[in-house]
Amino acid sequence: MPETRFKRIMLKVGGESLIGDREYGIDPQAALTVAQQIKAVHESGVDVAVVIGGGNIFRGVAGSKNGIDRATADYMGMLATVMNALALQDALEKVGVETRVQSALEMPAVAERFIRRKAIRHMEKGRVVILAAGTGVPYVTTDTGASLHALELHCDVLMKATKVDGIYDKDPMKHQDAKRFKTLSFKDAISLPGVEVMDTAALAMSSDNHMPVMVFELFEKDNLIKAVNGEDIGTYVSNDVETTFA
Ligand code: UDP
């Protein structure tokens, strides 16, 4: 685990973080919980960029299984992330955090278009930047968007918020004896069977460009700030660590 705290983070929030107890869509209360966590870390002086997913509304792969052209379905998924970005913006502003939404697909009535230097400037001015529509191209997911934007915005780490408290050697929902990794090398993250971190494109991009990834549970109180401060929670993935269990 790194001992120094991060100065600028890329936070990947899956669409499911906004779903609350529902089966579909957005629960404003869940959005507020996410916003409170972001507020705490932002108030401690950390620059925050957020890439938001769309899985609570629409995923391209699922749409294409139902007969929609894959690329079209992926664009629909990207549009879903724009809705989530607006919901998260609303929640962050309700808790007093200034934000800007930038979208990789142009949608001038609701979001700025993604402009790298402007996104950096927003963070320098103390705004949380919410990045919608992932990379703006189909056949990838918002994990790849988060990796790409983390690199170009010079973030220190990509923090992937999930529903489980780190990366396990097998699915902890299905296997009682699943063990959590404390640290994981990118090599193992990509090659070990049963290990699911994020899609391979995102992992390869992060590994090739030395962007560490931290996977942790967002809904555990104060977890984001603990993770940013280098406390031992979740799983830290890097080229510079050996794989160890917690
Ligand atoms: N998507 C895409 N390109 C991107 C980002 C997202 O095509 O750069 C589409 C893809 O169909 C994806 C959907 O948007 O399934 C929603 O994003 P994702 O599945 O990553 O959401 P999450 O699982 O994080 O909620």
Side-chain angles (χ1 to χ4, degrees):
M1 288 285 156
E3 278 173 13
T4 49
R5 76 202 305 247
F6 306 116
K7 295 274 177 275
R8 177 174 293 165
I9 63 166
M10 165 58 65
L11 178 65
K12 160 69 209 293
V13 178
E16 286 186 352
S17 302
L18 303 184
I19 212 167
D21 294 331
R22 300 169 187 223
E23 285 186 4
Y24 170 85
I26 298 163
D27 174 1
Q29 201 52 48
L32 277 174
T33 306
V34 175
Q36 291 285 8
Q37 292 252 18
I38 294 173
K39 178 182 173 154
V41 74
H42 184 247
E43 274 183 345
S44 76
V46 175
D47 288 352
V48 184
V50 183
V51 162
I52 183 90
N56 55 323
I57 300 172
F58 195 86
R59 279 205 180 93
V61 173
S64 69
K65 279 193 187 129
N66 290 326
I68 303 175
D69 175 86
R70 171 68 196 267
T72 303
D74 279 337
Y75 281 107
M76 292 167 69
M78 286 184 252
L79 295 179
T81 72
V82 179
M83 286 200 256
N84 284 338
L86 296 183
L88 185 59
Q89 177 174 49
D90 180 78
L92 278 166
E93 291 191 342
K94 284 208 168 79
V95 299
V97 178
E98 205 186 333
T99 62
R100 289 290 186 275
V101 176
Q102 292 199 342
S103 172
L105 293 177
E106 288 201 44
M107 223 169 291
V110 294
E112 295 175 0
R113 66 183 273 226
F114 176 72
I115 299 173
R116 186 179 82 89
R117 298 181 75 103
K118 214 167 162 184
I120 292 172
R121 195 76 194 110
H122 285 318
M123 287 191 281
E124 287 169 353
K125 285 184 173 168
R127 298 170 185 144
V128 169
V129 190
I130 304 167
L131 301 170
T135 61
V137 297
Y139 292 96
V140 288
T141 70
T142 51
D143 283 349
T144 305
S147 180
L148 176 70
H149 287 320
L151 289 162
E152 61 182 333
L153 299 179
H154 302 149
C155 296
D156 300 317
V157 65
L158 193 178
M159 308 196 64
K160 180 170 166 155
T162 64
K163 286 193 293 190
V164 271
D165 62 347
I167 304 167
Y168 284 75
D169 58 348
K170 45 193 158 183
D171 187 346
M173 304 289 184
K174 291 183 192 147
H175 303 274
Q176 278 200 334
D177 60 340
K179 287 188 287 180
R180 177 169 68 86
F181 295 107
K182 178 178 156 86
T183 54
L184 184 62
S185 67
F186 273 117
K187 196 164 151 278
D188 286 343
I190 293 169
S191 64
L192 283 180
V195 173
E196 284 179 31
V197 188
M198 48 193 200
D199 57 76
T200 318
L203 274 178
M205 192 188 294
S206 299
S207 173
D208 287 353
N209 298 287
H210 302 281
M211 173 60 61
V213 175
M214 193 171 220
V215 177
F216 70 105
E217 188 192 350
L218 188 61
F219 279 92
E220 190 65 36
K221 199 172 175 307
D222 299 332
N223 249 11
L224 179 56
I225 189 115
K226 283 183 189 162
V228 167
N229 286 333
E231 284 187 39
D232 182 13
I233 61 159
T235 302
Y236 184 74
V237 190
S238 159
N239 291 319
D240 306 325
V241 294
E242 300 284 324
T243 296
T244 57
F245 286 106

